[in-house]
Amino acid sequence: MLRRFAERADAAGLPYAVTGAAASQLLGAPVLSQIIVSHIRVGPVQADSALHRLGLEHLDAEDAGRGMNLELWTDTGELGTFAARDVNGVRVAPPVRVWLDLARQGGRGADAAQLFREQVLERA
């Protein structure tokens, strides 16, 4: 799923970086057993404009179960996309950005952020 998104984004010339739990898995440090929604930072456009550029539709809550389960976040200031690196054909946000994005979600995300910090950031 993320590779298909990456191909569309690359074809559209849209800067992006996978972040959160999906990024941690791509970096070889899975922090959740199941990723329900993959978070992707896009810039320098608003997330709604990015959907249009990619030819994707915005799904209402009722329709979300049939979609790709991607949540696009506008990357204000290019905090995730600027130094993103390629991991198996998919651009991934820098590890510190991944950690911060996990932590900001609270709940399970905060627990996942702690695991990510221990597995990736403290070993660097």
Side-chain angles (χ1 to χ4, degrees), residues 65-105:
R66 69 177 177 86
M68 289 176 60
N69 295 321
L70 300 175
E71 186 174 322
L72 303 185
W73 293 344
T74 301
D75 193 31
T76 305
E78 299 180 63
L79 299 172
T81 57
F82 178 74
R85 67 179 183 198
D86 184 274
V87 177
N88 299 322
V90 177
R91 307 264 312 147
V92 176
V96 171
R97 181 77 259 165
V98 172
W99 172 66
L100 289 168
D101 287 340
L102 283 167
R104 81 179 224 174
Q105 294 175 37

Side-chain angles (χ1 to χ4, degrees), residues 20-32 85 87 92-100 102 111-124:
S24 71
Q25 188 165 0
L26 287 169
L27 292 171
V31 292
L32 296 176
R85 67 179 183 198
V87 177
V92 176
V96 171
R97 181 77 259 165
V98 172
W99 172 66
L100 289 168
L102 283 167
D111 295 338
Q114 177 64 27
L115 288 171
F116 184 78
R117 191 179 94 201
E118 292 168 3
Q119 292 179 20
V120 176
L121 297 179
E122 291 179 1
R123 292 184 184 174

Side-chain angles (χ1 to χ4, degrees), residues 29-50:
V31 292
L32 296 176
S33 58
Q34 183 178 10
I35 300 170
I36 297 173
V37 177
S38 296
H39 297 99
I40 303 173
R41 290 182 162 273
V42 293
V45 299
Q46 294 295 317
D48 288 342
S49 296

